[in-house]
Amino acid sequence: MSPADPSRRRLLVQALATAGVVSLPPVPAAAALPEVPNVTGLYTVTVARIEIPPTEDALRSAVRAWPGRIGIGGGRYSMGGQVAVEGGLHIDMRMLDQLVWLRRKDKVVRVQAGMRWRDLQDLLDPLDLAVHTMQSYANFTVGGSVSVNAHGRYVGHGPIAHSVRALRLVLADGSVRDVDRERGAELFRAAIGGYGAVGVIVEVELDLADNVRIERVVTQSRLADYPAHFDATVRGDPATVLHNADLLPPAFDRAVGVSWRRTPKPLTQTARLVPRDGSYGLEQNVLWAVTELPGGAKVRRDVIHPRLLRPPVVQWLNHEASLDVAELEPRSRVMSTYVLQEYFVPRRHFASFAAQLAEVLRRHGVEAVNVSVRHSPADNVSLLPWAKEEVFSFVLFHKQRTWASAREAVGVWTRELVDCVIAHEGRWYLPYQLHATRAQFERAYPEVVDLRRVKAQVDPAGRFSNALWAKYL
C-alpha cells in the first residue's frame, strides 16, 4: 500500500505545531474476536475462528483441519476486508516473523512472511544494507506487501514483484510449494499481487540494497509540465533514490516534487532508524485541524507549501524507509476516518486524468488531504499487474465519515473515478474499499481469467477467499 506523502505531512506538523488544537480522547479498541478489523475501522469481517500459527507445521495443520473458507492477514492495513472472509477461518501470520537466512555479500535475504519491514530493517541497518523496495511506511508485513504487490517511492523500481526472488507457499491441501521465476513460475506470478487467492505465503526471498546517505530536494512544476520535469530531474538523475510529487488542493494544478538524492553531505538527522513507539499526538491533531477547521485549505496553500521550500534534510535511506504509519492515525474514528485510493494511468494520459480527477474531487466535495504522484515502469512479473505499461500513480489520501450514508456517497464518486481511469486505459489499486462493480473489475483486469485458471488448479474447492475475492473472483 502507498500512504500520503510523509515529507509533506512532517512539514505540515511543523507549520501547525503552535496551533493549539485540542486533542480528542482515544476510543477503546473493539473486541478482536470473532471479528477481524482493518486500519480504517470500516468493513470489519466476522469470522468463525482465528488461528495464529507459530510454526509452518502449525499453519499447515490449521489449513488441513479447517473444513470451510480461509482468509489470510498480516498487519491488516488493507481497507475493504481483503484479509478475511465472512464466516471463515482467519489466519493471522504475525507470529511467523523470523529471519530464515541473510547473505550480506549477495544482498539477498529470506524471511518468514509475518515479519514486519521494521523488524527486517533492525537486522539490515547494522550491516549497512537496506530493503530494495517497500511501502513508505515500515509497519506492514513482508508477506502482506507481496500479496498486494506493493510499491513505494523508489525511482525505477516499480512494484515489489521485481525484487522478489522466491516464495514458499502453503496450498489448500496443506502441502508446501517452493516457487520462483523458473520453478512453478505461474504459481509464483499468481501469488504476488494475488491477495491470498492461491495459497498462504509463508516465506519470501528478497533482493536488498545499500543503505545510503540521502538529501531531500524540493522542486515545483506546472501540472501539465510534470512528466517532462520528471524525465529531466528525476529519471535523468542517477543519484535520485526516492521521489514523489504532491498535487496541492483544492486546485491540484501544481506539482511539488520531493526527491531524495545520494549525497556525501553531513547528516542533519543522525538517527539511523525512526524510533519505535513514537508519540504522534501532534500529527493526529494537525490532520484533524486541516480537515475540520475553517481555512484548512488556505493553511495548506499559504503555510504548508512555502515550508516545502526550506533547506534540504540529509539522512540515511533507512531512516526515511522506517516511518511509522501511526503518524497517519486519527485520534478517534467514531465520526470519521482516513482512507486511501490509488489510480494507475499510462504516461500518455497523465494530464487528462489529472484534470478529471481534480474535477471529480471538487464536484463531490471530497476532503482530500493529499494527492501524491508516483512513477512505475511496467510490471513484468505478477499475473494480475496494476502496471501493464509505464504508469504514473495518483495516491488519494482523504477523510470520510464512518456512517453508512457517507460510505455510500464515497462509493458513488469512487465508481466515477474508476470509470475515468478505465477510459484512460489505466487501473486502480485493489487493497482499498470495494466500491467498484464486478463489471468494472473485469474491464480493468482482464488477466483475472488467468488467476481463476491457476486457482482452479491449486485450490479447486475455492477454500482461500476474502471479501475482495468473494466479490470479484
Side-chain angles (χ1 to χ4, degrees):
M1 283 169 277
S2 308
D5 170 32
S7 298
R8 181 171 182 259
R9 291 213 355 86
R10 286 197 296 272
L11 289 166
L12 183 150
V13 169
Q14 296 166 7
L16 296 181
T18 59
V21 179
V22 177
S23 300
L24 295 176
V27 176
L33 291 174
E35 296 180 333
V36 178
N38 65 62
V39 67
T40 67
L42 305 174
Y43 310 106
T44 295
V45 179
T46 301
V47 299
R49 184 178 177 86
I50 294 178
E51 290 277 359
I52 311 175
T55 65
E56 181 185 294
D57 286 343
L59 169 61
R60 295 175 65 189
S61 296
V63 170
R64 283 194 296 260
W66 186 254
R69 294 183 297 173
I70 301 170
I72 309 143
R76 299 178 179 178
Y77 289 102
S78 292
M79 299 182 177
Q82 290 87 345
V83 300
V85 60
E86 195 78 20
L89 171 68
H90 173 70
I91 296 178
D92 184 333
M93 293 291 292
R94 287 175 288 185
M95 283 191 68
L96 287 163
D97 62 353
Q98 298 301 301
L99 173 71
V100 179
W101 50 255
L102 170 61
R103 297 202 297 260
R104 180 180 185 180
K105 182 178 179 181
D106 297 330
K107 298 180 185 176
V108 182
V109 69
R110 192 175 183 101
V111 300
Q112 290 183 317
M115 177 181 279
R116 296 181 188 264
W117 293 108
R118 183 62 172 82
D119 297 322
L120 178 56
Q121 289 166 337
D122 283 343
L123 300 173
L124 299 179
D125 189 71
L127 304 176
D128 290 322
L129 294 175
V131 174
H132 184 275
T133 303
M134 58 178 285
Q135 297 105 322
S136 294
Y137 291 86
N139 310 73
F140 307 91
T141 62
V142 175
S145 298
V146 173
S147 184
V148 304
N149 199 17
H151 70 101
R153 295 171 284 154
Y154 298 84
V155 176
H157 288 197
I160 195 173
H162 293 169
S163 66
V164 177
R165 291 192 169 206
L167 299 173
R168 185 171 175 88
L169 305 174
V170 172
L171 302 184
D173 61 0
S175 64
V176 174
R177 289 280 300 276
D178 288 295
V179 296
D180 55 31
R181 286 174 172 80
E182 296 179 354
R183 300 174 300 160
E186 194 167 48
L187 183 56
F188 174 79
R189 297 176 61 221
I192 300 175
Y195 296 82
V198 296
V200 185
I201 299 173
V202 68
E203 290 182 9
V204 181
E205 188 175 319
L206 292 163
D207 289 326
L208 299 175
D210 292 320
N211 185 30
V212 295
R213 193 174 300 198
I214 53 175
E215 173 189 16
R216 188 183 65 202
V217 178
V218 179
T219 59
Q220 294 187 76
S221 70
R222 293 190 312 128
L223 181 60
D225 298 333
Y226 176 72
H229 177 79
F230 173 84
D231 286 345
T233 65
V234 180
R235 196 208 302 261
D237 177 14
T240 300
V241 179
L242 306 172
H243 174 82
N244 68 278
D246 199 35
L247 306 186
L248 301 178
F252 305 102
D253 59 355
R254 288 181 294 167
V256 179
V258 180
S259 297
W260 292 91
R261 301 181 70 254
R262 295 181 189 86
T263 182
K265 294 180 181 179
L267 295 168
T268 63
Q269 167 59 261
T270 58
R272 295 180 65 92
L273 294 165
V274 172
R276 290 178 179 267
D277 303 319
S279 175
Y280 296 98
L282 179 58
E283 287 86 346
Q284 294 163 354
N285 288 337
V286 167
L287 268 180
W288 180 85
V290 299
T291 56
E292 297 287 350
L293 296 181
K298 188 176 188 299
V299 169
R300 287 195 292 265
R301 183 185 68 244
D302 297 339
V303 178
I304 307 308
H305 175 59
R307 292 191 70 90
L308 283 171
L309 305 180
R310 293 225 168 169
V313 174
V314 178
Q315 62 180 353
W316 291 108
L317 171 60
N318 277 343
H319 190 276
E320 182 63 17
S322 60
L323 301 174
D324 191 336
V325 76
E327 71 177 21
L328 299 176
E329 285 289 294
R331 298 294 294 215
S332 167
R333 285 196 170 92
V334 172
M335 297 182 64
S336 61
T337 189
Y338 299 102
V339 294
L340 290 166
Q341 297 186 13
E342 185 167 6
Y343 299 92
F344 304 98
V345 182
R347 178 191 176 96
R348 60 186 173 278
H349 296 309
F350 175 88
S352 175
F353 178 80
Q356 291 189 30
L357 170 68
E359 190 277 328
V360 170
L361 297 181
R362 288 194 298 267
R363 176 159 44 85
H364 287 273
V366 178
E367 189 59 70
V369 179
N370 183 50
V371 175
S372 179
V373 178
R374 320 285 173 89
H375 174 270
S376 174
D379 177 359
N380 55 26
V381 177
S382 64
L383 197 64
L384 201 68
W386 43 256
K388 284 289 290 181
E389 58 181 284
E390 177 190 0
V391 296
F392 283 104
S393 71
F394 294 77
V395 184
L396 169 62
F397 182 50
H398 69 97
K399 189 173 192 173
Q400 73 175 68
R401 304 304 175 184
T402 56
W403 41 82
S405 61
R407 293 197 295 270
E408 292 168 1
V410 170
V412 170
W413 59 259
T414 298
R415 286 185 288 275
E416 190 173 337
L417 285 177
V418 167
D419 278 338
C420 180
V421 80
I422 291 173
H424 286 87
E425 302 178 273
R427 302 181 175 195
W428 75 97
Y429 202 19
L430 300 176
Y432 303 130
Q433 297 180 80
L434 306 177
H435 291 310
T437 67
R438 177 159 177 162
Q440 287 176 318
F441 174 79
E442 298 277 352
R443 288 178 60 199
Y445 285 94
E447 300 89 350
V448 72
V449 297
D450 297 319
L451 181 62
R452 291 188 180 113
R453 176 175 48 78
V454 175
K455 183 173 178 63
Q457 295 170 359
V458 297
D459 183 18
R463 300 188 66 212
F464 289 122
S465 187
N466 51 45
L468 171 75
W469 293 135
K471 181 170 184 176
Y472 297 131
L473 192 61

